[in-house]
Amino acid sequence: MGKGDPKKPKGKMSAYAFFVQTCREEHKKKNPDVPVNFAEFSKKCSERWKTVSGKEKSKFDEMAKADKVHYDREMKDYGPAKGSKKKKDPNATKRPPSGFFLFCSEFHPKIKSTNPGISIGDVAKKLGEMWNNLNDSEKQPYITKAAKLKEKYEKDVAASKSKGKFDGVKGPAKVPRKKVEEEDEEEEEEE
C-alpha cells in the first residue's frame, strides 16, 4: 500500500461496509480464537445483508451518511502535501514519437478529409486497424524514423544533463554552499 499521502483522510464507508464491520465484531465476540476466512465470511455477510429488514438497513444508512459528512469535512480541510509535484522545464527536450504515432500523423489528415464528420475515437480506431493491417516491411520506415528520433533525443538529453541544465526530473543543479563560500573567500584574498 505504501503509496499515497498518509495524512489524507480515509475514504467514506458505505452502509454495507458498516454492516460487515458489525458482523465482524459480532463474530470476534462469539469466536475470539477462530481466524476469519474472508471469502466465506464475505458470502455469509452478503446473504445476511439481503435478508436484513429495511428498518435495520436504515440504521446503517444513517451511519454511512454521518461518515460521509465527517469525510467531506476532513477533505475540505485536507490539502495535498506542498511541493510534491515535480516542476517541468518548459525548454526540456520533448520525447520522440513512436513509429505508430509517426504513421498516425501522416494518415490522420487523410482519414479526416475522406470522413469529415468522423469522431476522434473513430479516427483512432481506424488508424489502429490500418497499422495492424500493415506488414513488417510497410511499418519499417516509420520504425526506423522513430529509432533515429529516439537516438537524437537521447543525445540531446545526455548533453543537457552534462551541461547541468534543468531536466525536469531532478531539478536544477545545485552548487554546494561550502564551495560558493570558498570561492568568495578566494576573491576577497585576491583584492
Side-chain angles (χ1 to χ4, degrees), residues 141-181:
Y142 302 104
I143 294 170
T144 304
K145 187 173 180 182
K148 287 178 183 174
L149 290 170
K150 186 176 181 183
E151 274 181 44
K152 182 183 180 314
Y153 166 77
E154 288 171 349
K155 286 178 186 174
D156 291 347
V157 167
S160 68
K161 280 186 179 180
S162 67
K163 291 178 186 174
K165 282 188 176 177
F166 180 64
D167 65 0
V169 178
K170 293 183 178 178
K174 292 183 180 177
V175 179
R177 185 180 191 109
K178 190 174 185 180
K179 190 172 184 176
V180 172
E181 289 172 357

Side-chain angles (χ1 to χ4, degrees), residues 61-73:
D61 287 332
E62 290 302 317
M63 292 168 78
K65 285 179 185 174
D67 190 51
K68 183 184 182 325
V69 169
H70 172 75
Y71 173 78
D72 290 342
R73 192 176 328 114

Side-chain angles (χ1 to χ4, degrees), residues 25 28 33 50 54 97 104 113 149 156 185:
E25 288 167 5
K28 275 187 174 180
D33 299 330
K50 291 172 188 172
C104 288
S113 66
L149 290 170
D156 291 347
E185 288 173 9

Side-chain angles (χ1 to χ4, degrees), residues 49-50 52 56 71 89 94 129 163 178:
W49 178 252
K50 291 172 188 172
V52 171
E56 205 173 337
Y71 173 78
D89 179 10
K94 305 285 187 263
E129 289 170 7
K163 291 178 186 174
K178 190 174 185 180

